[in-house]
Amino acid sequence: MTEMTTTAAQTVTRFAPDDAAGLISNAELTLEALRLIQSTGTPVPTHTNSQYGTLRWLYFNGDHRGFATEKEAAQAVMRGLGGKWDKTPGSLFQFTRTLSTGVKLEIVVERAAVCNRVVTGVEKVVTEVPASPAVQAHTVVEEVEIVEWKCEPVMGETTLGEESA
């Protein structure tokens, strides 16, 4: 069964097939998206899930699939497919885009691959360690870095379609 949700930004199709026809339909939509990827010379997704209509490019833990960096691999996919990509930062940085057919495209890289870690200061953290049979109660003082992440647009000045990512 396919569920349509409309937001101010776009209409999103949520894939939840409950029969063979639904699975076949999702697989056909995924195949259509793969043909688009092939026709544009975009790198092939590292993972696909036709049941839920998702194509993923997972570029982390040193796996760049022939590109020098994770950032270059992500740029190649974005450049090949164009369009507007939504960003979700975290320890892994995700770029997502939903095609008009409802197929979801997702690129995942490590945050450090697309952002710069900037130490803005140091703070002292005091921890009271309670007594136990083997250790007396004591205080531990550690210096912990205060960090900000500066994230530039992944595509820099390059535009994708009408909007840049």
Side-chain angles (χ1 to χ4, degrees), residues 90-149:
S91 61
L92 293 176
F93 208 97
Q94 295 178 308
F95 301 93
T96 56
R97 176 177 171 216
T98 303
L99 299 176
S100 60
T101 60
V103 173
K104 182 179 176 183
L105 308 176
E106 181 179 86
I107 305 168
V108 181
V109 298
E110 292 183 57
R111 177 171 47 183
V114 294
C115 301
N116 294 314
R117 183 179 185 269
V118 179
V119 177
T120 59
V122 177
E123 67 179 339
K124 289 186 179 182
V125 177
V126 179
T127 306
E128 299 295 330
V129 179
S132 68
V135 179
Q136 293 182 351
H138 63 283
T139 302
V140 175
V141 179
E142 294 179 285
E143 287 191 356
V144 177
E145 293 178 333
I146 301 169
V147 175
E148 278 185 22
W149 288 91

Side-chain angles (χ1 to χ4, degrees), residues 1-81:
M1 176 180 222
T2 308
E3 174 186 322
M4 298 288 284
T5 304
T6 304
T7 64
Q10 64 182 2
T11 300
V12 176
T13 304
R14 302 213 187 282
F15 291 89
D18 55 6
D19 58 14
L23 287 172
I24 290 168
S25 175
N26 289 354
E28 288 171 347
L29 292 172
T30 303
L31 182 58
E32 183 181 322
L34 287 168
R35 285 190 181 113
L36 168 68
I37 289 163
Q38 184 179 33
S39 72
T40 60
T42 301
V44 176
T46 59
H47 296 76
T48 62
N49 186 331
S50 61
Q51 181 177 358
Y52 296 102
T54 304
L55 301 175
R56 290 187 175 98
W57 291 262
L58 305 180
Y59 295 127
F60 52 89
N61 292 334
D63 185 1
H64 313 136
R65 301 292 168 123
F67 290 91
T69 66
E70 294 173 32
K71 184 175 182 176
E72 288 177 13
Q75 288 171 330
V77 174
M78 291 178 177
R79 191 174 292 113
L81 296 175

